[in-house]
Amino acid sequence: VISFFQPKLLLGQQVLVTAGPTYEAIDPVRGITNLSSGKMGFAIARAAHEAGAAVTLVAGPVHLPTPRGVHRVNVTSAQNMLAAAVDYAQKATIFVATAAVADWRPALAAEQKIKKDGSGVVPTLSFVENPDILATLAQSLRAQSGDLFCVGFAAESQDLLANAQAKRLRKGVPLLVGNIGPATFGQDDNALLLVQASGVQELARESKINLARKLIAHISIKTRARGQ
Ligand code: CTP
Ligand code: CA
């Protein structure tokens, strides 16, 4: 009902959202993941659709219903997520990276289930770093030429402002959104810190869908100012 009255702030825009955790296989029956619920990313996808955008939601393994009108692409690993994101970013005008991408994956996933051999010896896992999806797309030609507006998220356990400012510069994005603690994983509300070159703005604690709508309104102003 609310969406009926909302102005279509993102009409003509193509929005790409990554959401949820990734799952990095150790063997065919085990893997490494994290507690991301995907709720913030799904709320942003929903809000972007309400605002008139064509929305693709690249989702890691989460049990959430697909927001109405949103094109959902399910992925598992960070490498899968990167491939899907790079694909859809060719046409996207806005990219919002909310996914909690696993920073590392097992260097070699075993082809068969790893078995106990009875000796009590434990397996050793070695890791390699996963690709940085946000940094990759932020460095793309379309982002650099202003055709793709990239937004990052950050959940920090300490020094949110300083870490978010540093992360914004490191990722090379115009807008980095910090989750204001305590840890928001799985909860239905959140509070956000919008960090840009021009300064910092806080969105006070409320439901993730309302925050998502405010963030979308903010992004629509930024992308219009940029001349789209
Ligand atoms: N991100 C990504 N690909 C990765 C890691 C992170 O796209 N391999 C994106 C996240 O979706 C988020 C932003 O980058 O939008 C910041 O993620 P975060 O985990 O906070 O940053 P990292 O660079 O991984 O640094 P660290 O976890 O060490 O704080
Ligand atoms: Ca990380």
Side-chain angles (χ1 to χ4, degrees):
V1 179
I2 291 168
S3 68
F4 180 82
F5 298 102
Q6 283 182 340
K8 301 289 186 203
L9 294 171
L10 292 185
L11 213 61
Q13 303 274 15
Q14 303 234 24
V15 175
L16 171 66
V17 181
T18 58
T22 65
Y23 176 91
E24 311 296 333
I26 294 171
D27 70 16
V29 297
R30 305 184 180 91
I32 291 171
T33 187
N34 63 66
L35 292 175
S36 170
S37 68
K39 283 180 183 173
M40 194 66 222
F42 275 60
I44 287 168
R46 176 178 162 189
H49 173 73
E50 287 172 358
V55 183
T56 298
L57 173 60
V58 176
V62 290
H63 295 283
L64 289 175
T66 307
R68 195 169 51 85
V70 167
H71 175 227
R72 176 176 182 172
V73 179
N74 288 325
V75 296
T76 49
S77 69
Q79 290 173 298
N80 295 159
M81 187 176 273
L82 174 69
V86 165
D87 189 6
Y88 288 98
Q90 289 171 13
K91 285 189 180 161
T93 56
I94 295 167
F95 172 42
V96 186
T98 71
V101 182
D103 290 317
W104 307 280
R105 66 175 182 274
L108 248 188
E111 274 179 38
Q112 305 298 333
K113 180 185 172 189
I114 301 169
K115 301 286 285 178
K116 286 179 293 191
D117 65 4
S119 70
V121 174
V122 298
T124 304
L125 292 178
S126 56
F127 291 90
V128 292
E129 195 170 312
N130 267 327
D132 190 319
I133 299 163
L134 177 59
T136 301
L137 291 188
Q139 283 157 23
S140 70
L141 223 61
R142 297 199 61 243
Q144 294 294 321
S145 64
D147 293 333
L148 176 65
F149 185 82
C150 293
V151 182
F153 263 73
E156 306 288 345
S157 58
Q158 55 182 344
D159 300 331
L160 175 62
L161 178 58
N163 277 321
Q165 283 171 328
K167 201 163 272 181
R168 190 187 75 79
L169 294 173
R170 188 152 43 79
K171 303 274 180 179
V173 294
L175 173 58
L176 198 291
V177 182
N179 287 308
I180 297 173
T184 52
F185 278 172
Q187 283 170 20
D188 289 318
D189 66 352
N190 202 356
L192 300 177
L193 191 67
L194 311 190
V195 178
Q196 300 173 120
S198 57
V200 174
Q201 187 182 328
E202 194 174 321
L203 298 183
R205 184 162 299 276
E206 64 175 318
S207 70
K208 286 183 175 176
I209 184 60
N210 282 338
L211 282 173
R213 290 180 178 132
K214 285 182 179 166
L215 181 62
I216 286 298
H218 181 88
I219 291 171
S220 78
I221 293 166
K222 293 296 154 188
T223 50
R224 240 173 298 146
R226 176 188 59 150
Q228 276 204 355

